């Protein structure tokens, strides 16, 4: 099975992940024979052992000295295949290969796929049978090879103008499956909750995998269990194998358990098909909920207003690129939930099945979108990939109750890939995708971000509003949003925030606002991401400090609480990520808008969000990564504490500076701020928080040096080595001082690290402690 089958088969049960025993060659080969000829070659090809998932751009995506690798790459392994019942089919399921791929068994091409973000399945039964014949009945060992390629191609999506790395490699899981000749290919469970929420209608449909079109009676059994594991429906039907998708069960549930962010109740649907060919089973989890975008009004879930509080995600991580390990994904989504978010936009492509499963389990609403991002609209090959991606995304992920929006594109008003940029053609194709999405899944809404001439095509629209970063001041956020709300029936604000360099802080972070004109809009324009040219803006003229971005976050969050018609908004982005478009950033080729660094280390901004959204009591003194503050002797300096508790008392060097009560509308820090003097050298700040309604007090503390000596121009670079952990890793700190040895605390010079002799430099991680140029 290849691309022509439109969607990936999904067989559960007899599946084995192929992780070990692989080798990788980054580069092109003369052909498939060169993969296996070995010593017969006149020159050997370098093959490196790897474990899957694996990304070809694990490090070069953030290399400061060159662009990331775009080109072919090969993977090979000898895979043991156990004996299977007569007539069984043997399949390979790929969860994601970037950006296009060809699959070979031995010298034979058995499948191919275009698109780096959807699952696909290849039937290798004939190749396995041939290998078994050659093995004289012994277990077959398949020589399996995969050619992948992320070469720039204008007729593919996403565009290379997109602000993220188009990784290459087998960066999601690969599984080997054995299934009966007549098997389940896909099961869809659709639940419709009545307006009174008292009942729900559940319809179950299934598609068979029957490539030989075998006939004969089969039996279909369906069992549905509620979130407590109790059987709420059982049915059995007999019939002949069918083509396409068919209804296999439908029933009504009274008093259904409703799925929500606070109570993500999940039902389980098990479907079994039994025939002379054998038995095939699959189990799907689903949820029941009712949602509505009130025209020019709020978002409603299960009959109540829910303010969407969201963030966004790229599939990218320090040291592994797109091949993010499952345990890291789980840790990432645990942090998102602990922050209090109830929504995530998966930008700008469909993501792994684990991501969707975690959103279901944790109660995180989802906007998932196809990778039509920037560049314009190409020819038929370009358009067909977009259609195929939409079909696959809906087919593979429609059972997830977390998904409420199918995204059809991102920044499709951004030209550049084609000689002609035709808004009418883009609008016509967007309309086609909108209609296709509703045909495939009538229950969900469509959405796009930033394409004004298509804003009325989709059900939900997000304009570009970057108040305080790419244009305008952050105090213009609310009027900008309210003006945009009037222009569409359903408004949902995607992407707001700004960059912050982890560990950079400022005593006067808002001074840049005096340079920025107001009243000229808060949208992002196509070249605003550059650090040169154009109007004054925080992204170009600001200090990129965590201090400034915390104020920006704080203002937006407190304003969102005062907008009764706001459906919600999602900050861009949860974690820093690799991008080829930003080589001059403080960490080269890293978009630094994350609430966490690229290795999931939270920045200070994470705790601002937690103070507004989290339900578990928390307290955080601002400045854990601010080792030196500066000012005049005896000068009153601001101390901010972020907390969701009722009141906080601050202690400065052991002395109480008083108690403040939290008021979200008292900016900044919801009133939890103090102006206090520091003493020379060592200082300690400790905050004690008292939760609403009593309960156990919480505390947090920071220590820092207070420097009063003024400094001149940087004159020397001092290096210090920290091996306090006693392990094999040494951290080298670079410090700039003037000719008197005074630290230059506002220096923004570029520092490059190198290494000679033994050891290895931990660089190209895309973090402030893992980049050789900072």
């Amino acid at each position: 099975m290849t691309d022509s089958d439109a969607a990936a088969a999904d067989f559960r049960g007899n599946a084995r992940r192929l992780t070990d025993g692989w080798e990788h060659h980054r580069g092109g080969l003369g052909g498939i024979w060169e993969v296996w000829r070995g010593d017969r070659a006149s020159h050997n090809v370098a093959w490196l052992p790897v474990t899957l998932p694996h990304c070809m751009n694990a490090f070069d995506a953030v290399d400061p000295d060159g662009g990331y690798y775009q080109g072919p790459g090969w993977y090979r392994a000898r895979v043991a295949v156990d004996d299977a019942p007569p007539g069984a089919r043997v399949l390979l399921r790929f969860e994601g290969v970037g950006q296009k791929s060809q699959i070979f068994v031995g010298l034979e091409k058995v499948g191919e796929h275009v698109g780096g973000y959807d699952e696909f399945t290849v039937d290798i039964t004939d190749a396995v049978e041939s290998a078994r014949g050659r093995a004289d009945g012994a277990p077959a060992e398949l020589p399996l090879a995969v050619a992948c390629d992320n070469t720039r191609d204008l007729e593919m999506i996403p565009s290379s103008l997109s602000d993220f790395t188009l990784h290459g490699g087998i960066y999601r899981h690969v599984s080997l499956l054995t299934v009966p000749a007549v098997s389940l290919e896909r099961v869809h469970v659709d639940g419709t909750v009545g307006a009174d929420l008292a009942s729900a209608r559940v319809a179950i449909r299934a598609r068979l995998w029957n490539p030989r079109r075998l006939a004969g009676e089969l039996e279909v059994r369906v069992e549905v269990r509620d979130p407590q594991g109790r059987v709420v429906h059982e049915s059995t039907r007999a019939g002949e194998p069918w083509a396409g998708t068919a209804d296999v069960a439908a029933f009504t549930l009274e008093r259904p358990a409703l799925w929500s962010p606070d109570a993500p109740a999940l039902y389980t649907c098990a479907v079994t098909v039994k025939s002379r060919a054998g038995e095939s089973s699959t189990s799907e989890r689903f949820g029941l909920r009712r949602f509505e975008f009130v025209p020019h009004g709020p978002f409603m879930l299960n009959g109540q207003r829910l303010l969407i509080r969201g963030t966004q995600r790229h599939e990218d991580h320090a040291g592994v690129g797109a091949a993010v390990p499952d345990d890291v994904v789980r840790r990432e989504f645990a942090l998102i939930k602990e922050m209090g978010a109830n929504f995530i936009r998966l930008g700008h492509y469909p993501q792994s099945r684990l991501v969707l499963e975690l959103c279901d389990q944790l109660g995180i609403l989802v906007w998932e979108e196809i990778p039509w991002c920037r560049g314009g609209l190409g020819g038929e090959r370009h358009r067909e990939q977009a259609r195929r991606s939409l079909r696959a995304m809906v087919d593979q992920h429609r059972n997830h109750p977390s998904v409420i929006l199918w995204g059809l594109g991102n920044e499709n008003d951004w030209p550049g890939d084609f000689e002609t940029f035709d808004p009418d053609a883009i609008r016509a194709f967007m309309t086609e995708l909108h209609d296709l999405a509703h045909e495939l899944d009538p229950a969900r809404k469509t959405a796009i971000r930033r394409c004004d001439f298509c804003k009325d095509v989709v059900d939900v629209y997000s304009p570009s509003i970057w108040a305080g970063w790419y244009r305008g001041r952050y105090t213009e956020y609310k009027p900008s949003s309210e003006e945009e709300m009037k222009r569409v029936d359903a408004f949902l604000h995607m992407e707001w925030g700004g960059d912050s360099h982890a560990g950079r802080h400022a005593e006067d972070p808002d001074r840049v606002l005096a340079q920025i004109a107001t009243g000229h809009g808060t949208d992002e324009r196509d070249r605003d991401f550059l650090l040169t040219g154009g109007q004054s803006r925080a992204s170009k003229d600001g200090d990129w400090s965590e201090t400034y971005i915390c104020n920006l976050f704080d203002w937006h969050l407190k304003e969102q609480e005062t907008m009764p018609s706001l459906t919600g908004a999602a900050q861009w982005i949860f974690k820093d990520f690799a991008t080829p478009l930003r080589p001059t950033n403080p960490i080269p080729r890293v978009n630094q808008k994350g609430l966490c660094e690229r290795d999931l280390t939270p920045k200070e901004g994470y705790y601002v969000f937690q103070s507004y959204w989290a339900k578990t009591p928390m307290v955080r003194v601002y400045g854990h990564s601010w080792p030196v503050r500066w000012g005049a002797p005896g000068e009153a300096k601001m101390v901010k504490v972020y907390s969701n508790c009722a009141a906080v008392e601050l202690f400065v060097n052991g002395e109480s500076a008083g108690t403040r009560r939290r008021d979200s509308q008292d900016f900044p820090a919801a009133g939890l701020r103090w102006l206090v003097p520091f003493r020379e050298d060592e200082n300690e700040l400790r905050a004690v928080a008292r939760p609403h309604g009593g309960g156990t007090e919480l505390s947090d503390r920071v220590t820092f040096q207070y420097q009063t000596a003024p400094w001149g121009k940087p004159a020397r670079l001092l290096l210090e080595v920290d091996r306090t952990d006693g392990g094999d890793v040494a951290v080298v700190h670079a410090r700039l001082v003037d000719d008197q040895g005074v630290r230059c605390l506002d220096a923004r010079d570029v520092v490059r690290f190198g290494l000679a002799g033994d050891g290895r430099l931990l660089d190209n991680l895309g973090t402030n402690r893992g980049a050789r140029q900072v």
Side-chain angles (χ1 to χ4, degrees):
M1 185 165 61
T2 63
D3 267 357
S4 60
D5 297 287
D10 182 16
F11 307 98
R12 303 282 177 90
N14 188 7
R16 172 165 58 94
R17 280 185 175 166
L18 306 180
T19 57
D20 299 322
W22 290 85
E23 293 179 305
H24 169 58
H25 169 68
R26 193 169 86 168
L29 296 175
I32 182 59
W33 170 233
E34 196 169 1
V35 174
W36 303 113
R37 68 184 179 180
D39 292 339
R40 302 185 196 188
S42 59
H43 62 279
N44 289 327
V45 173
W47 291 89
L48 300 177
V50 298
T51 300
L52 297 189
H54 176 265
C55 178
M56 296 198 306
N57 310 109
F59 296 100
D60 63 77
V62 293
D63 190 321
D65 298 318
Y68 72 101
Y69 177 78
Q70 291 182 280
W74 285 83
Y75 294 84
R76 69 180 185 184
R78 295 188 179 274
V79 177
V81 181
D82 297 330
D83 288 339
R89 311 299 297 180
V90 182
L91 312 173
L92 282 171
R93 182 179 66 212
F94 294 86
E95 295 187 22
V97 182
Q99 291 288 315
K100 54 187 174 183
S101 55
Q102 300 179 71
I103 296 87
F104 298 85
V105 174
L107 304 181
E108 178 188 357
K109 186 169 78 170
V110 295
E112 60 185 358
H113 185 78
V114 176
Y117 309 105
D118 26 57
E119 296 186 5
F120 64 98
T121 300
V122 178
D123 192 323
I124 61 171
T125 306
D126 294 342
V128 171
E129 290 176 352
S130 176
R132 284 200 181 105
R134 294 192 299 271
D136 296 326
E141 187 178 68
L142 295 182
L144 177 62
V146 179
C148 60
D149 196 337
N150 67 336
T151 301
R152 293 165 71 111
D153 185 340
L154 297 183
E155 287 290 340
M156 284 182 61
I157 59 172
S159 167
S160 59
L161 295 174
S162 299
D163 192 9
F164 55 93
T165 301
L166 277 60
H167 293 103
I170 307 177
Y171 44 65
R172 295 183 192 162
H173 293 296
V174 181
S175 298
L176 182 71
L177 307 96
T178 304
V179 300
V182 180
S183 312
L184 285 163
E185 181 178 357
R186 184 73 66 199
V187 171
H188 288 151
V189 186
D190 295 320
T192 304
V193 178
D196 61 359
L197 309 181
S199 64
R201 185 67 179 167
V202 179
I204 302 165
R205 310 185 77 209
R207 190 168 70 243
L208 296 178
W209 175 235
N210 183 15
R212 294 179 177 173
R213 295 181 174 83
L214 300 179
E217 186 173 291
L218 53 76
E219 179 185 85
V220 182
R221 297 196 303 269
V222 177
E223 180 184 85
V224 178
R225 293 179 179 267
D226 69 11
Q228 287 72 46
R230 298 174 297 222
V231 176
V232 294
H233 172 81
E234 289 181 295
S235 63
T236 302
R237 55 167 283 190
E240 291 281 326
W242 61 88
T245 304
D247 298 325
V248 296
F251 59 95
T252 299
L253 269 175
E254 302 296 337
R255 297 181 299 279
L258 299 181
W259 185 96
S260 72
D262 287 339
L266 292 172
Y267 288 77
T268 303
C269 173
V271 179
T272 302
V273 168
K274 186 176 182 180
S275 71
R276 287 180 296 179
E279 187 173 296
S280 170
S281 297
T282 187
S283 180
E284 294 287 338
R285 302 179 81 180
F286 69 97
L288 301 169
R289 77 282 184 275
R290 184 181 181 90
F291 71 88
E292 177 188 8
F293 287 86
V294 176
H296 301 289
F299 175 75
M300 307 290 287
L301 181 67
N302 299 331
Q304 297 182 340
R305 186 202 177 191
L306 178 72
L307 179 61
I308 289 174
R309 295 167 164 165
T311 187
Q312 308 186 51
R313 179 183 193 264
H314 267 300
E315 190 173 52
D316 182 72
H317 190 75
V320 294
V324 188
D326 288 355
D327 62 332
V328 174
V329 177
R330 292 188 179 95
R331 181 157 53 95
E332 181 177 355
F333 276 84
L335 283 169
I336 291 170
K337 186 66 176 181
E338 289 167 10
M339 185 176 76
N342 59 24
F343 175 94
I344 193 164
R345 176 173 172 236
L346 303 177
H348 294 294
Y349 40 80
Q351 296 188 15
S352 72
R353 56 173 55 197
L354 175 60
V355 165
L356 276 298
E357 289 167 357
L358 288 171
C359 291
D360 289 345
Q361 296 165 17
L362 295 171
I364 300 173
L365 295 160
V366 171
W367 165 332
E368 187 174 35
E369 64 193 26
I370 65 172
W372 184 22
C373 180
R374 295 187 179 177
L377 180 63
E380 183 55 27
R381 182 159 65 92
H382 187 272
R383 301 174 195 215
E384 181 53 29
Q385 187 190 345
R387 297 184 194 104
R388 190 171 57 247
S389 179
L390 178 59
R391 292 189 190 101
M393 179 176 69
V394 175
D395 188 59
Q396 293 163 15
H397 293 164
R398 65 181 290 165
N399 288 343
H400 295 283
S402 54
V403 178
I404 58 171
L405 293 166
W406 298 125
L408 306 182
N410 176 69
E411 297 180 354
N412 301 105
D413 61 351
W414 193 304
D417 279 347
F418 307 100
E419 182 180 0
T420 300
F421 182 80
D422 186 347
D424 290 336
I426 293 173
R427 180 179 170 85
F429 188 61
M430 191 73 74
T431 301
E432 178 187 338
L433 293 179
H434 169 79
D435 293 341
L436 177 59
H438 280 293
E439 176 189 336
L440 296 169
D441 180 11
R444 290 180 174 88
K445 303 298 184 183
T446 63
I448 58 172
R449 180 194 168 271
R450 214 202 91 166
C451 186
D452 192 71
F453 56 80
C454 288
K455 66 179 180 294
D456 60 330
V457 171
V458 292
D459 300 316
V460 177
Y461 180 67
S462 171
S464 176
I465 304 173
W466 282 91
W469 191 246
Y470 286 124
R471 202 160 301 275
R473 303 181 185 183
Y474 57 70
T475 51
E476 296 181 88
Y477 165 68
K478 183 175 179 178
S480 293
S481 296
E482 291 179 333
E483 185 62 30
E484 291 290 343
M485 288 180 200
K486 300 173 185 176
R487 303 176 67 231
V488 292
D489 286 343
F491 163 98
L492 179 57
H493 182 204
M494 296 294 100
E495 301 194 20
W496 63 273
D499 292 84
S500 63
H501 184 61
R504 180 181 289 175
H505 305 271
E507 296 288 353
D508 185 15
D510 286 342
R511 62 183 178 181
V512 68
L513 296 179
Q515 304 176 41
I516 298 172
T518 61
H520 298 285
T522 56
D523 59 317
E524 175 198 10
R525 299 171 194 177
D526 289 356
R527 312 303 289 175
D528 280 350
F529 69 92
L530 300 175
L531 303 186
T532 58
Q535 295 177 333
S536 292
R537 54 192 185 273
S539 59
K540 176 174 69 75
D541 305 300
D543 58 21
W544 283 45
S545 68
E546 294 195 62
T547 328
Y548 175 79
I549 210 64
C550 282
N551 283 349
L552 183 150
F553 290 156
D554 198 355
W555 184 272
H556 280 68
L557 292 169
K558 72 103 172 174
E559 292 287 74
Q560 288 168 10
E561 292 189 349
T562 69
M563 303 162 70
S565 295
L566 179 66
T567 55
Q571 169 269 347
W572 182 268
I573 185 172
F574 187 69
K575 183 172 66 171
D576 292 351
F577 64 94
T579 170
L581 299 192
R582 300 172 186 259
T584 58
N585 275 10
I587 302 175
R589 294 185 167 85
V590 175
N591 188 312
Q592 295 179 242
K593 294 183 179 67
L595 301 180
C596 297
E597 292 189 72
R598 195 167 176 249
D599 63 357
L600 273 184
T601 301
K603 303 182 193 178
E604 295 290 341
Y606 175 90
Y607 302 98
V608 181
F609 280 81
Q610 199 174 50
S611 71
Y612 279 89
W613 291 354
K615 295 182 179 179
T616 302
M618 57 78 59
V619 62
R620 174 82 172 188
V621 180
Y622 177 87
H624 278 245
S625 58
W626 197 357
V628 183
R629 295 194 63 169
W630 65 93
E635 179 183 357
K637 309 297 291 186
M638 181 173 287
V639 174
K640 295 185 293 184
V641 176
Y642 295 105
S643 178
N644 57 3
C645 294
V648 174
E649 185 175 7
L650 179 71
F651 293 85
V652 181
N653 298 320
E655 298 290 330
S656 176
T659 298
R660 303 281 190 270
R661 298 198 63 82
R662 186 179 191 277
D663 175 1
S664 67
Q665 297 307 298
D666 187 357
F667 176 84
L672 303 178
R673 61 184 184 275
W674 293 257
L675 285 172
V676 295
F678 302 140
R679 64 191 180 197
E680 297 271 354
D681 297 325
E682 184 86 8
N683 286 265
E684 179 193 72
L685 302 174
R686 187 168 69 94
V688 177
R690 301 178 181 91
H692 293 274
T696 304
E697 292 184 344
L698 298 85
S699 66
D700 186 46
R701 65 184 289 273
V702 297
T703 60
F704 59 93
Q705 298 286 318
Y706 185 60
Q707 177 176 315
T708 60
W711 57 88
K713 293 182 179 180
R716 287 182 293 150
L717 184 68
L718 304 180
L719 297 180
E720 298 174 352
V721 178
D722 179 6
R723 300 194 67 161
T724 55
D725 62 356
D728 295 330
V729 177
V731 179
V732 179
H733 300 269
R735 178 186 299 172
L736 282 168
V737 299
D738 64 12
D739 56 5
Q740 301 299 311
V742 179
R743 283 179 287 201
C744 302
L745 297 176
D746 64 349
R748 296 178 64 173
D749 302 71
V750 173
V751 177
R752 290 182 65 93
F753 292 87
L755 181 66
D758 295 335
R760 180 169 64 92
L761 192 65
L762 297 178
D763 67 343
N764 286 350
L765 298 179
T767 66
N768 72 338
R769 292 185 175 221
R772 69 175 175 274
Q773 176 179 313
V774 185

